[in-house]
Amino acid sequence: LVRKYESELMLDFLKPAPGETILDAGCGTGVFTRDIISSGSKVVGLDISFPMLRRATETFRGSPFSAVRGDILTLPFLAESFDKVVSITALEFIADARNAVNELFRVVKKGGVIVMATLNSRGPWAERRREEARKGHSIFSKAVLRSPEDLLSLSSVKGEAGTAIHFEKETPPEKAVKAEDEGRIKGSMTGAFAAVRWLKL
């Protein structure tokens, strides 16, 4: 259910379409890349980790996917190279978040969208991640958690925000579905997964 709801929010904001070329910045092993490729879009997956890129390349062999090793803070692409840009659960590990967002804006074409999603600092899973960080967890001790409002403030362009996962990991499926439906109806900004969307004018 977690994977389903996260993907639905990401796709609703990104709306990938056949023939588009989309940058997946911080693609990792390609957890969300598959959903974008399934829409008929071509995807360029960028990540700083070569082992992760290698796994993504193996996973999407034969698909319209190409891998590029690089840093979101200094994207190795010309301005306005992509129809759309998406970055999911990468910003948590970038201190200079505003510069990262500026780079994403730079490489997307006018009229294109930028979608960014992270773990929500206001969500039900954030405190658990903070506790893991306090205990010295190798990943979460370096993570910077942000709220939807924090994310929107990273650009002077007005954007929109949404969240998903309005339940705890241990919640029984039936109750999780009900909680998610209620969170969507209320437009709650406290879901564990926060996403923002900007349009480049």
Side-chain angles (χ1 to χ4, degrees), residues 118-131:
T118 71
L119 185 65
N120 186 0
S121 65
R122 295 175 56 197
W125 296 21
E127 186 51 43
R128 183 181 303 172
R129 297 295 183 249
R130 292 188 187 100
E131 180 59 29

Side-chain angles (χ1 to χ4, degrees), residues 46-119:
L46 175 135
D47 205 277
I48 204 165
S49 167
F50 180 73
M52 286 190 173
L53 280 178
R54 183 171 54 202
R55 282 184 59 188
T57 300
E58 292 169 357
T59 298
F60 301 117
R61 193 177 305 280
S63 301
F65 173 83
S66 56
V68 176
R69 188 171 184 224
D71 190 334
I72 293 178
L73 292 171
T74 52
L75 292 172
F77 307 111
L78 296 175
E80 301 188 8
S81 295
F82 300 94
D83 297 299
K84 295 173 181 175
V85 175
V86 63
S87 180
I88 303 175
T89 62
L91 196 69
E92 291 93 327
F93 307 102
I94 300 174
D96 190 0
R98 186 174 292 276
N99 188 37
V101 171
N102 287 341
E103 273 292 272
L104 297 181
F105 265 89
R106 182 183 68 80
V107 300
V108 76
K109 297 175 182 177
K110 290 182 180 178
V113 299
I114 299 95
V115 174
M116 182 168 282
T118 71
L119 185 65

Side-chain angles (χ1 to χ4, degrees), residues 10-188:
M10 181 273 291
L11 291 173
D12 182 52
F13 272 20
L14 187 64
K15 291 181 173 56
E20 292 180 335
T21 300
I22 298 176
L23 172 64
D24 186 355
C27 66
T29 58
V31 173
F32 291 92
T33 311
R34 184 182 305 280
D35 299 320
I36 303 170
I37 292 174
S38 296
S39 71
S41 301
K42 299 175 183 177
V43 177
V44 175
L46 175 135
D47 205 277
I48 204 165
S49 167
F50 180 73
M52 286 190 173
L53 280 178
R54 183 171 54 202
R55 282 184 59 188
T57 300
E58 292 169 357
T59 298
F60 301 117
R61 193 177 305 280
S63 301
F65 173 83
S66 56
V68 176
R69 188 171 184 224
D71 190 334
I72 293 178
L73 292 171
T74 52
L75 292 172
F77 307 111
L78 296 175
E80 301 188 8
S81 295
F82 300 94
D83 297 299
K84 295 173 181 175
V85 175
V86 63
S87 180
I88 303 175
T89 62
L91 196 69
E92 291 93 327
F93 307 102
I94 300 174
D96 190 0
R98 186 174 292 276
N99 188 37
V101 171
N102 287 341
E103 273 292 272
L104 297 181
F105 265 89
R106 182 183 68 80
V107 300
V108 76
K109 297 175 182 177
K110 290 182 180 178
V113 299
I114 299 95
V115 174
M116 182 168 282
T118 71
L119 185 65
N120 186 0
S121 65
R122 295 175 56 197
W125 296 21
E127 186 51 43
R128 183 181 303 172
R129 297 295 183 249
R130 292 188 187 100
E131 180 59 29
E132 291 173 353
R134 285 191 287 269
K135 293 178 179 178
H137 190 286
S138 61
I139 294 176
F140 292 107
S141 60
K142 302 173 184 176
V144 178
L145 304 186
R146 298 178 174 90
S147 68
E149 295 81 6
D150 293 333
L151 295 173
L152 288 172
S153 73
L154 296 175
S155 173
S156 59
V157 175
K158 185 177 180 181
E160 61 178 309
T163 68
I165 319 305
H166 299 89
F167 52 87
E168 294 286 356
K169 196 171 184 179
E170 300 79 9
T171 305
E174 320 81 56
K175 292 185 178 181
V177 170
K178 183 178 179 181
E180 194 66 20
D181 289 342
E182 290 175 352
R184 286 186 181 186
I185 292 170
K186 293 177 182 177
S188 171

